Amino acid sequence: MKKALALVMAGVMALSLVACGGGSTSGSTSTAASAGSTGGSTAASTASGDATQITLWTYPIGSWKDAETVDGFIAKFNEQYPDIQVKVEYLDYTNGDDKVTTSIEAGTTPDIIFEGPERLVSNWGAKGLMVDLSDLWTEEATADISQTSEAVVNACKGSDGVYYEYPLCMTAHNMAINYELFEETGALQYIDQETRTWTTDNFVKALETLRDSGKVITPAIVYCGGQGGDQGTRALVNNLYSGTYTNADHTAYTANSAENVKALELLQQLANDGALTFDPAAQASDELQNFANGAAAMTFCWNASNEASYASQVSFTPYAMNFPTDDGSVELCGGIWGFGIFDNGDPAKIEAAKTFIKFICDDATQGPASVQATGFFPVRASFGNVYAGTADEERMGTFQSFLPNMGDYYNVIGGWTEQRTAWWNMLQEVGRGDDVQAAADKFVETSNNAINAAG
């Protein structure tokens, strides 16, 4: 095994850390427009003479935060559609949401916005602000995306059955172990290297083996100092005994089920036994740094982006793994990113926006390039490994192999912001020895009340 990882493409983004990521400064813009008016045009709009002018706002998703990259894509688009002008504004995750909210209140929303279902579907789509994109979801496109993940298809449509997002890329968040440390201590015997899976029982045995070896400060850290990287702790708890985070139709939280309480009780007992640590001051970025430094034997917040980010720091092999589960059926948390269109009442602009989205997402040449710029993976199975032929082919292929294990995309449930705070508060209570059932019940009550309040 290699002792260190090579640095990878600069376009890989830190968004996969969820709340640990950064971004570009909101407000910077660029415009790529055609000079001619021949061929490939859509219906004309009075917005810009004979041309249709549309605006794209993009959150910092990989290299989609870089004007040079995006302008290059728009130039390719204008080769086929010279009569559609695209003006771009770059958002960040610090004040991007506030900027969108202000534009909604002022009636100045962009035509296209690039982000995920939590915003496009569950927020703005549910409020009736977005265009129905069902016509983009052709039979061919739906079949192609479904082959990768049915969860992606379901996440892009609202409770009313309307598609408010057309997806470009996705990822499945996983965990990782310090391979050499596992090998040295004898804990490697508890993982299946062919499938990168392990059972709940073997996960416990590995933690105990690492603890008893005296070769690591802590085998694992359950970080609960904030919402950063909470997809990792949620996946850990849900997989240990096949629990669910919400019900099937995403109308209620179910984290206080018998299965989840059993998992939380196990983690509490392991902490009492010194086999892992609950850290009420740590977020995922802190846990990742401990992993990179060799102070923790594993991380619950891993993906291709984080591997790239920490490649220059580690002196061991971070070995990507599925979360442990009792029944062999792993369900990973995922991320989905795509495009939505705000309904600004201009049919020509809506048609032009759809034309742009189809080119960026579906074109046989541009589609894979658009995905590669995100640092994630295509939702279209037909695109295969978009990193083929690059120095990153093998590494990214490993992470792409986790995609079929992506579980229900429950992030579209209501009360999402409130539950994220309630979750890490609950983990702190479990970590300090409080009654697990009572803590889980309080979490569910708080989160479900947030759904009702929003309704």
Side-chain angles (χ1 to χ4, degrees):
M1 300 294 289
K2 296 179 180 179
K3 293 287 183 180
L5 296 171
L7 289 173
V8 295
M9 57 182 288
V12 177
M13 68 170 282
L15 171 62
S16 298
L17 259 171
V18 186
C20 296
S24 60
T25 301
S26 174
S28 58
T29 61
S30 66
T31 304
S34 65
S37 58
T38 58
S41 65
T42 64
S45 168
T46 58
S48 181
D50 293 333
T52 302
Q53 186 177 87
I54 58 176
T55 54
L56 163 67
W57 286 10
T58 174
Y59 281 80
I61 304 164
S63 292
W64 278 83
K65 65 179 178 292
D66 301 326
E68 182 177 359
T69 298
V70 178
D71 284 351
F73 292 164
I74 294 173
K76 290 292 185 182
F77 172 72
N78 283 147
E79 290 176 5
Q80 295 188 35
Y81 303 96
D83 289 347
I84 300 175
Q85 300 175 346
V86 184
K87 182 178 181 180
V88 187
E89 184 154 346
Y90 300 89
L91 306 178
D92 60 31
Y93 285 106
T94 301
N95 54 18
D97 288 351
D98 290 338
K99 188 174 182 65
V100 174
T101 298
T102 299
S103 74
I104 291 171
E105 294 171 349
T108 57
T109 50
D111 297 294
I112 308 172
I113 192 156
F114 185 26
E115 227 290 309
E118 296 90 333
R119 290 173 172 85
L120 305 186
V121 180
S122 301
N123 188 352
W124 306 319
K127 293 175 180 176
L129 300 172
M130 308 300 286
V131 171
D132 182 353
L133 301 182
S134 297
D135 55 330
L136 298 184
W137 285 84
T138 63
E139 184 175 338
E140 180 274 330
T142 303
D144 199 4
I145 296 169
S146 296
Q147 188 175 342
T148 300
S149 174
E150 195 66 38
V152 173
V153 178
N154 294 331
C156 290
K157 55 186 174 183
S159 57
D160 55 2
V162 174
Y163 286 102
Y164 294 114
E165 177 176 345
Y166 195 67
L168 172 67
C169 62
M170 64 180 292
T171 195
H173 303 294
N174 52 282
M175 62 177 296
I177 64 170
N178 179 326
Y179 188 91
E180 284 78 17
L181 182 60
F182 266 63
E183 187 174 43
E184 182 182 352
T185 61
L188 200 59
Q189 64 180 303
Y190 298 117
I191 70 172
D192 184 332
Q193 294 188 65
E194 183 176 348
T195 61
R196 295 183 184 246
T197 59
W198 45 355
T199 65
T200 297
D201 287 344
N202 280 341
F203 170 68
V204 172
K205 291 176 183 177
L207 288 173
E208 292 172 342
T209 298
L210 291 161
R211 175 200 61 196
D212 295 342
S213 72
K215 295 180 179 295
V216 63
I217 294 175
T218 180
I221 300 171
V222 179
Y223 47 90
C224 42
Q227 66 184 29
D230 54 1
Q231 78 278 356
T233 51
R234 285 186 267 114
L236 173 64
V237 171
N238 290 161
N239 275 283
L240 285 172
Y241 292 108
S242 304
T244 61
Y245 204 69
T246 75
N247 58 7
D249 57 0
H250 308 133
T251 58
Y253 290 90
T254 57
N256 62 342
S257 68
E259 295 82 3
N260 288 321
V261 169
K262 184 178 180 181
L264 288 165
E265 288 176 339
L266 173 64
L267 295 176
Q268 187 181 68
Q269 185 59 53
L270 288 168
N272 291 338
D273 294 342
L276 59 79
T277 302
F278 277 80
D279 190 337
Q283 296 191 42
S285 58
D286 304 301
E287 184 246 25
L288 282 162
Q289 193 60 63
N290 274 282
F291 177 64
N293 294 342
M298 64 187 71
T299 173
F300 299 126
C301 189
W302 203 243
N303 48 46
S305 174
N306 292 342
E307 184 172 88
S309 297
Y310 289 91
S312 63
Q313 298 186 39
V314 299
S315 59
F316 57 87
T317 304
Y319 190 79
M321 286 287 297
N322 285 286
F323 283 88
T325 183
D326 64 328
D327 63 357
S329 179
V330 182
E331 293 196 6
L332 302 178
C333 291
I336 302 168
W337 295 271
F339 297 89
I341 300 174
F342 279 102
D343 190 351
N344 290 324
D346 187 328
K349 287 193 172 190
I350 291 173
E351 188 61 30
K354 289 181 178 179
T355 300
F356 178 78
I357 292 171
K358 283 185 63 66
F359 174 80
I360 290 296
C361 295
D362 294 348
D363 184 85
T365 300
Q366 179 59 46
S370 300
V371 174
Q372 192 177 47
T374 68
F376 295 130
F377 306 98
V379 295
R380 279 183 169 268
S382 60
F383 284 179
N385 184 355
V386 300
Y387 302 97
T390 71
D392 238 10
E393 178 176 1
E394 182 178 356
R395 189 185 77 87
M396 296 301 278
T398 295
F399 284 96
Q400 190 161 359
S401 70
F402 287 100
L403 296 186
N405 291 340
M406 186 171 126
D408 176 39
Y409 197 81
Y410 53 73
N411 310 44
V412 293
I413 192 173
W416 186 252
T417 300
E418 294 82 359
Q419 71 80 27
R420 295 188 77 184
T421 298
W423 176 254
W424 59 262
N425 284 335
M426 182 203 68
L427 290 179
Q428 287 189 359
E429 293 171 6
V430 172
R432 66 174 178 245
D434 292 2
D435 180 79
V436 171
Q437 185 70 63
D441 288 344
K442 185 169 72 171
F443 163 79
V444 167
E445 181 180 7
T446 299
S447 301
N448 285 339
N449 284 343
I451 298 176
N452 298 330

